[in-house]
Amino acid sequence: AQKVTQAQTEISVVEKEDVTLDCVYETRDTTYYLFWYKQPPSGELVFLIRRNSFDEQNEISGRYSWNFQKSTSSFNFTITASQVVDSAVYFCALSEFDRGSTLGRLYFGRGTQLTVWP
Amino acid sequence: KAGVTQTPRYLIKTRGQQVTLSCSPISGHRSVSWYQQTPGQGLQFLFEYFSETQRNKGNFPGRFSGRQFSNSRSEMNVSTLELGDSALYLCASSLVLPQETQYFGPGTRLLVL
């Protein structure tokens, strides 16, 4: 079973539009961490945010904001006033803490390709 | 502070050969993880090392192996290459615990012909 689901494979928007990338996760651990990474065409995964399971406060960083809802197992990412430079593949990831057998493992979603047109 | 570095960046090999990829973590980081990224399977965990010990391993055949040196630098080796091993191999480092933020290198693009 997929631990992290990103249902949106591709999203296209025009510059200055707001866009939300969805992420749904599945875990039985009570302690876990959620991440978002950005992968531009160069290939390197760029860290955006890390959230632990006990902190459900939404976070805003400039044009980026994240909505974490344990009740729906979702950790969505919104870009406000999108720009062409935001074009990339965005990955949501889960790290479980309670079970040592999966220590060190990030479970990634399949990613969402975001294209922002000028 | 320098980021995670990986060498080489690009590699072309033929089936049956073996390959060694190198990763230097961020200074002070002691945990190194490796991932394989392919269009078909996405990003998959290979293994994680800390203090020269493999702490966890993903579901890959024994042809995939790795090691970590005392300076935290890590190498991964793939023996008897198959066409399906063509992928982007990403290395990530974190301070001590892998649940901490993992910072990724630029990756090594391996093409097996």
Side-chain angles (χ1 to χ4, degrees):
Chain A
Q2 194 79 353
K3 283 186 178 283
V4 178
T5 301
Q6 295 180 255
Q8 305 149 308
T9 305
E10 295 182 30
I11 299 177
S12 288
V13 298
V14 177
E15 226 175 2
K16 298 184 183 176
E17 282 186 32
D18 298 347
V19 58
T20 296
L21 310 182
D22 297 334
C23 173
V24 174
Y25 63 92
E26 180 182 333
T27 181
R28 285 181 285 185
D29 287 16
T30 54
T31 305
Y32 53 89
Y33 298 83
L34 295 164
F35 302 81
W36 275 95
Y37 286 88
K38 172 182 179 180
Q39 188 175 44
S42 60
E44 180 172 350
L45 283 170
V46 178
F47 166 73
L48 295 177
I49 190 171
R50 170 179 177 259
R51 223 37 176 175
N52 74 56
S53 52
F54 299 106
D55 183 1
E56 286 192 75
Q57 278 195 339
N58 292 330
E59 180 156 340
I60 298 174
S61 176
R63 296 183 298 107
Y64 295 170
S65 63
W66 291 268
N67 184 300
F68 176 27
Q69 292 195 341
K70 285 177 75 170
S71 60
T72 56
S73 297
S74 65
F75 186 43
N76 298 335
F77 172 32
T78 297
I79 302 175
T80 302
S82 59
Q83 300 176 0
V84 172
V85 293
D86 295 327
S87 297
V89 181
Y90 290 85
F91 290 94
C92 179
L94 164 73
S95 176
E96 296 172 317
F97 188 82
D98 293 347
R99 58 200 73 201
S101 61
T102 63
L103 194 72
R105 184 181 308 209
L106 281 175
Y107 294 94
F108 284 90
R110 297 306 299 265
T112 297
Q113 169 70 61
L114 173 66
T115 303
V116 182
W117 298 99
Chain B
K1 188 184 272 193
V4 178
T5 58
Q6 292 186 246
T7 56
R9 293 293 311 279
Y10 303 91
L11 208 48
I12 299 176
K13 292 285 188 179
T14 56
R15 275 184 303 174
Q17 287 187 310
Q18 78 163 22
V19 66
T20 299
L21 312 181
S22 181
C23 170
S24 292
I26 292 171
S27 177
H29 285 196
R30 296 170 62 191
S31 169
V32 174
S33 300
W34 288 89
Y35 294 83
Q36 181 197 64
Q37 185 177 24
T38 60
Q41 300 299 318
L43 278 153
Q44 293 186 288
F45 173 78
L46 281 156
F47 25 65
E48 187 259 348
Y49 287 87
F50 176 80
S51 285
E52 303 177 64
T53 300
Q54 185 183 89
R55 289 198 292 197
N56 203 353
K57 188 178 191 305
N59 189 26
F60 278 82
R63 300 186 296 107
F64 291 82
S65 63
R67 59 177 176 168
Q68 186 181 35
F69 302 95
S70 58
N71 61 358
S72 296
R73 191 176 69 84
S74 176
E75 288 181 348
M76 69 162 280
N77 185 77
V78 187
S79 63
T80 319
L81 284 166
E82 300 177 359
L83 296 180
D85 297 332
S86 295
L88 176 66
Y89 290 89
L90 292 161
C91 166
S93 75
S94 62
L95 277 169
V96 174
L97 297 176
Q99 288 85 358
E100 297 160 339
T101 298
Q102 294 188 29
Y103 294 92
F104 284 80
T108 295
R109 291 189 185 274
L110 172 64
L111 176 62
V112 182
L113 301 175

